[in-house]
Amino acid sequence: MTDFTKTRAAFHIPDGVVYLDGNSLGPLPVAAGERLARMLTREWGDQLIRGWNTAGWYVQPRKVGDRVARLIGAAPGTVVMGDTLSIKVYQALSAALEFVPERRIVLSDSGNFPSDLYIAQGLLASLGRGYELKVVKPEEVEGAIDERVAVTLLTEVDYRTGRLHDMKRLTAKAHAAGVVTVWDLAHSAGALAVNVTDADADFAVGCTYKYLNGGPGAPAFIYVAPRHADRARPSLSGWMGHDAPFAFDLDYRPAPGIERMRVGTPPVIALTVLDVALDIWENVALSDVRAQSILLSERFIAGVEAACPGLELGSPRDPAARGSQVSFRHPHAYAVMQALIAKGVIGDFRAPDSVRFGFTPLYLGEADIDNAVAVLAEVLDKRLWDTPDYHHKAAVT
Ligand SMILES: Cc1ncc(COP(=O)(O)O)c(C=O)c1O
């Protein structure tokens, strides 16, 4: 049984804050400062360039990848870290398309995160072979999978509504039609008991700054199913994915297995922080996290619906059909969120009209939920959101 009191103590949560935005950016692990300071002085400072070997920087993307692998149901040696999620989407999609060269459709849905769609648009345009990105409604994905589709590019949990795709069922349907699957787990890793092996996913990608608490700009991960790992062609054929980077050959030759999905120099400092954040998961069962996240989100929905009649639930009502976040709609959602944040309840706004709240049992309990509901009710009852300052949108919403 996971001890959530212990995990809560592992994070720095500012006094007076109820943090309901761990689905965008997880909080700082308390141990990160010291570990990072040690890395900077003892590794970078003292070991200088030798650190690539002596401090294990070179193998870090694989070692940290193995830790992430455990959290997404992947075998050791099938996940590697690096770059941003957008880059990993590009790599996975381009490799997947080459498995089905005769097909021309990439299937996605309107609940996908825009960067995934933008990356697909850019890649397909540069391939220039008449590819089509077909974007259907999330509930129409299953019916749109057929023999014309090359690849499905889907995000398991909808960033805006929290709607959860059935990864296993859709993957099985895709495989029956000869379609290759790319799953984006940005809102799943660390939130759900994801199991890419059981779901038989071909490729999976995700970020580590949300539920995995790796910090702003933390590196992304890519999983390639073992059956594909030695034949997936890396489109971003950088030197760190070469079979022998330090032979400095003039021609690219991919490394065996998942290593070929490395591109360039890894973000060692960011990986160090992520590694500390992953320590917290050592004694955590994802099944406990999921059960507790459902409990907290159900409590939140019931509380909000009882106390805030002006809000409309924008997420699936069935917890089994949701990830670990809940959205409510309000015509002045942006201003409502600003007023909430000013009172220490931090969630976020998602265009056009959603206030969104993430439930992260590692550091949230029932008292936090009740507190957040009470503040939300006050903001709405007293129209605290209705001031000019709260209507002015910042660059990052
Ligand atoms: C589902 C999903 N995919 C892709 C991205 C883009 O990630 P990055 O900015 O790390 O490239 C995000 C960012 O939040 C996301 O939520």
Side-chain angles (χ1 to χ4, degrees):
M1 193 70 186
T2 304
D3 182 349
F4 289 117
T5 318
K6 218 165 158 185
T7 58
R8 187 180 179 115
F11 290 98
H12 171 74
I13 308 287
D15 286 343
V17 164
V18 177
Y19 196 59
L20 300 175
D21 215 358
N23 53 321
S24 266
L25 175 69
L28 173 72
V30 173
E34 198 192 313
R35 174 74 182 88
L36 186 57
R38 196 155 25 105
M39 182 269 160
L40 292 176
T41 53
R42 301 232 186 107
E43 295 183 11
W44 182 14
D46 292 341
Q47 295 176 45
L48 293 162
I49 191 77
R50 294 168 291 188
W52 285 106
N53 292 313
T54 54
W57 298 341
Y58 182 64
V59 292
Q60 207 181 18
R62 266 286 292 280
K63 275 179 80 177
V64 176
D66 281 349
R67 301 191 79 185
V68 170
R70 192 182 73 78
L71 300 175
I72 61 165
T78 62
V79 173
V80 76
M81 311 302 299
D83 317 296
T84 69
L85 174 50
S86 302
I87 300 284
K88 291 316 190 201
V89 168
Y90 185 97
Q91 287 183 291
L93 180 58
S94 55
L97 282 170
E98 291 191 11
F99 290 168
V100 264
E102 68 292 353
R103 300 189 188 185
R104 286 291 173 271
I105 295 176
V106 173
L107 177 66
S108 191
D109 70 53
S110 53
N112 204 347
F113 192 75
S115 195
D116 292 24
L117 301 177
Y118 303 159
I119 288 286
Q121 287 161 9
L123 170 63
L124 299 187
S126 63
L127 290 173
R129 294 182 212 130
Y131 278 109
E132 177 196 345
L133 174 63
K134 185 171 173 183
V135 179
V136 299
K137 291 188 185 140
E139 58 277 17
E140 291 169 358
V141 166
E142 191 160 358
I145 296 174
D146 61 28
E147 277 77 12
R148 287 167 299 170
V149 175
V151 176
T152 53
L153 175 63
L154 299 170
T155 294
E156 190 188 20
V157 177
D158 185 317
Y159 76 102
R160 197 185 276 133
T161 65
R163 186 257 329 113
L164 177 63
H165 272 313
D166 185 334
M167 179 156 74
K168 190 169 179 174
R169 200 179 71 229
L170 291 178
T171 301
K173 169 115 200 236
H175 287 171
V179 177
V180 183
T181 56
V182 176
W183 285 100
D184 181 337
L185 304 178
H187 297 269
S188 312
L192 308 169
V194 181
N195 195 318
V196 290
T197 308
D198 180 55
D200 204 23
D202 298 286
F203 293 85
V205 291
C207 61
T208 58
Y209 43 76
K210 299 181 192 291
Y211 295 94
L212 299 181
N213 314 301
F221 64 84
I222 183 166
Y223 161 82
V224 181
R227 64 183 176 281
H228 298 316
D230 283 327
R231 68 182 190 115
R233 197 186 69 81
S235 53
L236 299 177
S237 39
W239 73 305
M240 289 274 167
H242 192 281
D243 188 28
F246 291 90
F248 298 109
D249 289 343
L250 294 187
D251 292 315
Y252 182 76
R253 190 174 71 247
I258 193 67
E259 290 275 352
R260 64 184 54 196
M261 291 299 166
R262 292 177 65 161
V263 182
T265 303
V268 176
I269 295 173
L271 278 164
T272 302
V273 176
L274 174 60
D275 203 30
V276 180
L278 292 172
D279 286 346
I280 299 169
W281 290 93
E282 285 300 318
N283 297 310
V284 170
L286 277 158
S287 51
D288 293 340
V289 170
R290 175 66 171 155
Q292 187 68 6
S293 120
I294 289 178
L295 195 138
L296 296 178
S297 45
E298 288 290 274
R299 189 179 181 95
F300 185 73
I301 293 173
V304 171
E305 291 194 325
C308 312
L311 291 178
E312 183 199 341
L313 184 64
S315 297
R317 189 164 290 280
D318 175 6
R322 283 197 311 262
S324 202
Q325 66 193 39
V326 169
S327 298
F328 281 93
R329 293 209 182 92
H330 187 279
H332 298 282
Y334 183 79
V336 169
M337 185 47 75
Q338 297 318 298
L340 266 180
I341 292 172
K343 289 194 143 291
V345 176
I346 303 182
D348 54 24
F349 160 78
R350 281 294 171 264
D353 59 357
S354 293
V355 281
R356 185 181 76 164
F357 305 92
F359 298 92
T360 47
L362 294 192
Y363 48 86
L364 281 175
E366 292 179 19
D368 298 309
I369 301 308
D370 296 347
N371 196 349
V373 171
V375 174
L376 183 53
E378 189 194 352
V379 162
L380 293 170
D381 284 349
K382 297 188 182 160
R383 293 179 69 89
L384 299 181
W385 54 269
D386 199 5
T387 92
D389 278 359
Y390 294 157
H391 290 275
H392 176 73
K393 287 204 178 80
V396 175
T397 65

